[in-house]
């Protein structure tokens, strides 16, 4: 599967990939990855994969996770390139009636290609990073699949 | 000037149109692009926020280019812009920007290589050898230097695509600095997969 689908050569910035090879050496591209901290495990796909994403928190030195860590339910996947929409629900208290009302906020988060098979309904943990686009300030760190109560789940195939 | 970098004029995430609350502020200012061309060096300085200086290159003709696998960096003449992933217009007008692929003069690197390895690069027939190369290839070397040169013999292999471009005297390089910010046009010579990628793009274009 070719990763060079763009007009410019996709590569991890700062990783020199053309050292002189004296004699027979395995031609695997050197890959850089890091741990984002706060106890989040870097996915295996991030370490072994070949994708290039300058906004991925695991394979890019340009984004760091700092500030808030939030979680929410995935509402929309695949409509925007490498970003998803998350819905965060909360209860708002009305003091006059001593009761709560449901409110929600949507949040756009960047999802690295190392997370494969994310569907709507999955619970996702996102971490705050610097602004990546007009509305995206969060990066997906961990995905928990949706728990289906019944054993049989209907899939398209 | 009128160019501002604020986001107050854009619609909110919800789609709401934002009313103008204040006038444009100086800290939101933007400036005209440099559109650095190839020519006799012309660099203007700009005083920026905090009293710092930016060097706006308007015309450049040389840059410091690195040959990564050989760890050799030389000042080379920039000949022309050959490819730009963002905008073909910038190729047509020979505008130097970061990330543009340019053709640079291979002579400084060839001279270094032949002095370092005492092996000819990119010379097809005996007729091509000029007087200066004969000097660097076959000049008298002291015993100590000759031993060093012999020890490097195995490491003198260069990939065929690069050797071909050396024969033409022009090498493809990618600009890695920002001429409109630093006033310099530095970069690195394309090698390996990257060179193959851009060569393919260029061939498809022709």
């Amino acid at each position: 599967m070719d990763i060079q689908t763009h007009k410019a050569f996709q590569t991890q910035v700062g990783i020199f990939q053309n050292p002189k090879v004296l004699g027979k050496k395995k031609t695997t591209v050197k890959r850089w990855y890091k741990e984002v901290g706060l106890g989040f495990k870097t996915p295996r796909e991030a370490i072994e994969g070949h994708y290039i994403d300058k906004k991925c928190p695991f394979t890019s030195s340009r984004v760091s996770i700092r500030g808030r860590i939030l979680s929410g339910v995935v509402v929309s996947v695949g409509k925007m390139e490498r970003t998803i929409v998350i819905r965060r629900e909360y209860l708002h208290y009305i003091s006059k009636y001593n009761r709560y009302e449901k409110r929600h906020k949507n949040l756009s988060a960047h999802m690295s290609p190392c997370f494969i098979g994310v569907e709507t309904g999955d619970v996702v943990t996102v971490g705050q990073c610097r602004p990546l686009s007009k509305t995206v300030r969060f990066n997906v760190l961990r995905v928990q699949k949706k728990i289906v109560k019944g054993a049989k789940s209907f899939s398209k195939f | 000037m009128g160019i501002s970098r604020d986001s107050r004029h854009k619609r909110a995430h919800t789609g709401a149109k934002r009313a103008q609350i204040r006038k444009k502020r100086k800290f939101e200012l933007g400036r005209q692009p440099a559109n650095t061309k190839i020519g006799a060096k012309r660099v203007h300085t700009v005083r920026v926020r905090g009293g710092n200086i930016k060097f706006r290159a308007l015309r450049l003709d040389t840059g410091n280019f690195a040959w990564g696998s050989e760890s050799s960096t030389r000042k080379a003449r920039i000949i022309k812009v050959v490819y730009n992933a963002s905008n073909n217009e910038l190729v047509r007008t020979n505008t130097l920007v970061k990330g543009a692929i340019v053709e640079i003069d291979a002579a400084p690197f060839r001279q270094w290589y032949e002095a370092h390895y005492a092996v000819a690069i990119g010379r097809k027939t005996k007729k091509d050898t000029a007087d200066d190369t004969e000097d660097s290839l076959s000049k008298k070397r002291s015993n100590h230097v000759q031993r060093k040169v012999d020890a490097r013999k195995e490491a003198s292999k260069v990939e065929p695509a690069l050797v071909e471009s050396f024969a033409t005297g022009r090498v493809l390089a990618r600009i890695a600095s920002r001429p409109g910010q630093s006033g310099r046009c530095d970069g690195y010579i394309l090698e390996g997969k990257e060179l193959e990628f851009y060569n393919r793009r260029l061939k498809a274009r022709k």
Side-chain angles (χ1 to χ4, degrees):
Chain A
M1 196 174 59
D2 195 24
I3 48 161
Q4 303 294 345
T5 51
H6 297 273
K7 283 211 191 143
F9 185 73
Q10 301 293 107
T11 175
Q12 283 187 310
V13 180
I15 314 301
F16 186 58
Q17 297 179 334
N18 302 306
K20 267 212 278 230
V21 178
L22 295 176
K24 272 220 171 122
K25 269 228 189 118
K26 52 185 167 88
T27 45
T28 45
V29 180
K30 227 195 308 175
R31 189 164 180 83
W32 185 92
Y33 64 92
K34 75 168 193 261
E35 289 176 42
V36 295
L38 302 160
F40 289 100
K41 225 173 145 318
T42 38
R44 201 162 49 97
E45 176 64 22
I47 303 171
E48 298 171 3
H50 300 285
Y51 69 87
I52 303 291
D53 185 4
K54 67 181 180 193
K55 300 179 182 175
C56 168
F58 307 107
T59 59
S60 163
S61 59
R62 309 223 152 165
V63 295
S64 65
I65 303 299
R66 76 284 183 283
R68 303 222 180 244
I69 313 288
L70 309 172
S71 55
V73 181
V74 175
V75 156
S76 163
V77 180
K79 293 249 186 77
M80 297 184 277
E81 272 189 42
R82 290 177 173 170
T83 80
I84 57 172
V85 177
I86 295 170
R87 182 187 172 105
R88 305 186 63 242
E89 304 225 348
Y90 58 99
L91 294 171
H92 179 242
Y93 182 65
I94 311 286
S95 46
K96 176 178 178 187
Y97 296 103
N98 253 335
R99 292 190 173 109
Y100 293 88
E101 63 177 5
K102 268 195 189 173
R103 287 190 180 185
H104 82 275
K105 283 258 166 47
N106 279 2
L107 198 153
S108 296
H110 182 269
M111 190 167 75
S112 166
C114 67
F115 296 107
I116 324 170
V118 178
E119 302 158 330
T120 69
D122 293 345
V123 172
V124 131
T125 308
V126 293
Q128 187 182 8
C129 53
R130 65 168 170 85
L132 302 176
S133 80
K134 179 177 169 205
T135 56
V136 176
R137 281 103 175 88
F138 285 85
N139 225 316
V140 171
L141 297 176
R142 184 175 56 197
V143 176
Q144 292 137 258
K145 283 260 141 213
K146 168 168 63 178
I147 312 163
V148 183
K149 286 261 170 78
K152 295 200 186 123
S153 62
F154 178 75
S155 311
K156 245 199 279 188
F157 47 76
Chain B
M1 212 126 310
I3 305 175
S4 79
R5 291 159 39 241
D6 67 324
S7 49
R8 303 215 125 265
H9 70 277
K10 302 208 79 170
R11 284 189 183 253
H13 185 22
T14 56
K17 202 172 169 82
R18 278 192 271 232
Q20 189 194 10
I21 288 192
R22 62 185 197 204
K23 294 185 171 184
K24 293 184 187 178
R25 294 282 192 266
K26 176 167 181 293
F27 54 77
E28 298 167 330
L29 74 74
R31 294 187 184 87
Q32 298 281 358
N35 291 331
T36 313
K37 302 283 187 291
I38 303 177
K41 177 159 120 176
R42 188 184 286 188
V43 178
H44 286 181
T45 61
V46 180
R47 183 202 178 272
V48 295
R49 188 160 178 86
N52 306 311
I53 298 185
K54 280 190 184 177
F55 298 94
R56 192 126 298 164
L58 302 172
R59 293 188 198 164
L60 289 174
D61 51 3
T62 59
N64 206 26
F65 288 91
W67 190 359
S69 62
E70 304 285 345
S71 290
S72 155
T73 311
R74 290 282 178 272
K75 179 158 123 173
R77 210 167 33 96
I78 301 165
I79 299 170
K80 70 171 182 177
V81 176
V82 148
Y83 184 83
N84 186 310
S86 331
N87 193 348
N88 287 325
E89 180 87 20
L90 299 175
V91 177
R92 216 156 29 90
T93 52
N94 267 333
T95 306
L96 300 171
V97 281
K98 177 179 170 184
I101 309 297
V102 292
E103 260 179 17
I104 60 170
D105 180 24
F109 295 98
R110 162 186 289 156
Q111 283 166 13
W112 173 85
Y113 183 91
E114 288 174 349
H116 193 248
Y117 292 110
V119 172
I121 182 169
R123 299 206 187 269
K124 282 182 237 155
T125 57
K126 280 255 159 115
K127 283 194 218 154
D128 289 341
T129 51
D131 277 57
D132 50 33
T133 24
E134 280 185 22
D135 278 348
S136 67
L137 281 179
S138 57
K139 76 171 182 186
K140 270 286 189 177
R141 287 186 167 86
S142 72
N143 196 357
H144 181 78
V145 176
Q146 188 61 42
R147 267 189 287 133
K148 280 205 281 191
V149 167
D150 290 336
R152 291 177 194 145
K153 247 207 160 50
E154 194 194 289
S156 68
K157 231 176 155 291
V158 178
E159 64 166 312
L162 253 188
V163 176
E164 268 178 44
S165 53
F166 265 100
T168 64
R170 292 167 178 208
V171 165
L172 286 181
R174 183 195 175 118
I175 299 178
S177 69
R178 302 173 72 185
Q181 308 280 316
S182 62
R184 290 156 199 257
C185 185
D186 304 333
Y188 59 89
I189 293 181
L190 295 178
E191 293 181 272
K193 286 247 163 77
E194 214 172 339
L195 177 61
E196 184 192 313
F197 176 88
Y198 285 113
N199 271 334
R200 222 182 316 135
R201 287 272 182 280
L202 291 175
K203 221 183 299 183
R205 171 102 59 82
K206 278 216 200 340

